[in-house]
Amino acid sequence: MPILSALSATAARGATKKVATSLAARAFASAADSPLHTHYPVVPGSLTAHLQLRTGETFTGGSFGAPTATIGETVFTTSLVGYPESMTDPSYRGQLLVFTQPLIGNYGVPRRTRDQYGLLKHFESEQIQCSGVVVSDYATKYSHWNAVESLSEWCEREGVPAITGVDTRALVHILRGQGSTLGSLSVGAQPLGAEAIAWADPNTENLVAQASTPDVRVFNPEGDVHVALIDCGAKYNIIRSLCDQGARVSLVPWNHDISASLHTYDGVFISNGPGSPAHCTETIGQLRQAFSVYQRPIFGICMGNQLMGMAAGLNAYKLRFGNRGHNQPAVDLTNGKCVITSQNH
């Protein structure tokens, strides 16, 4: 019995020590001088990169993207897979994208194959939309039958900086505590000095205008219903899904005057998009006019939903942080079934 008591006491002290260490680690997550996010080894032969938040925290790691500097809104996604789709999603334009999934890059980047509608199969737009990429552990070797290049090669080719070796758990604790925060991602031996960072909030720009198509484009012209898709930064899969259901899709610019052609559409769809809806006054005006004369379905998703609300006289305001992930459970209250959904808002 004395031996067992001694062992139990030792185990209890060990457990207490582990709990204390865990709690200390959580406390460090909000401290500017935390050793959790100031000292990380860089892979031999790679450049050093630094993620600096406007609130003062600095994360140092290795660079695996373009050797350049950028500023963006630092946000996180809980997606377990799908980094090529996330990085090309126009909703991430102007943002530094933090992946909470620890291992990123292990299946490389797929080839640019197009479907029957002329859309890229494995990407949500023609280029990387996020301003920078932040990961815990970048896989230097990839393996997938459809891969043609590494994530590092893709980022370098498109001029997007990326950092690995970041304690993304600590970073997400910070972002959840204080909300989405401006960040600077740079490459160099030392972090940038405070005076060298020209902080600029991308949300002060009309990011929707940057992400939208400049011209009207028609997909699946033989479709039996005609849908106007107002492009505020539409994902390719939205176009594909509408076409797969037999629709002819007219993709129109965010500020396109649809009033003259409303009678030709069987429905109007307003897409997702980046930035603030407050910049889309022309779209809001178009929708307000459509509400009064158009008797067919109007549907908005993400940015489009906000624009519909503002057209109806409501105000929109920004939450502290968004809900971004491809693995969000949602319960259908009509039948009790639970489905796994993709969300980005």
Side-chain angles (χ1 to χ4, degrees), residues 2 27 33 67 79 102 107 181 214 305 336 338:
D33 58 350
S79 301
Y107 56 89
T181 304
N305 186 48
C338 182

Side-chain angles (χ1 to χ4, degrees), residues 217-230:
R217 301 175 61 192
V218 178
F219 298 87
N220 195 32
E222 303 304 320
D224 54 8
V225 293
H226 190 190
V227 175
L229 174 51
I230 300 177

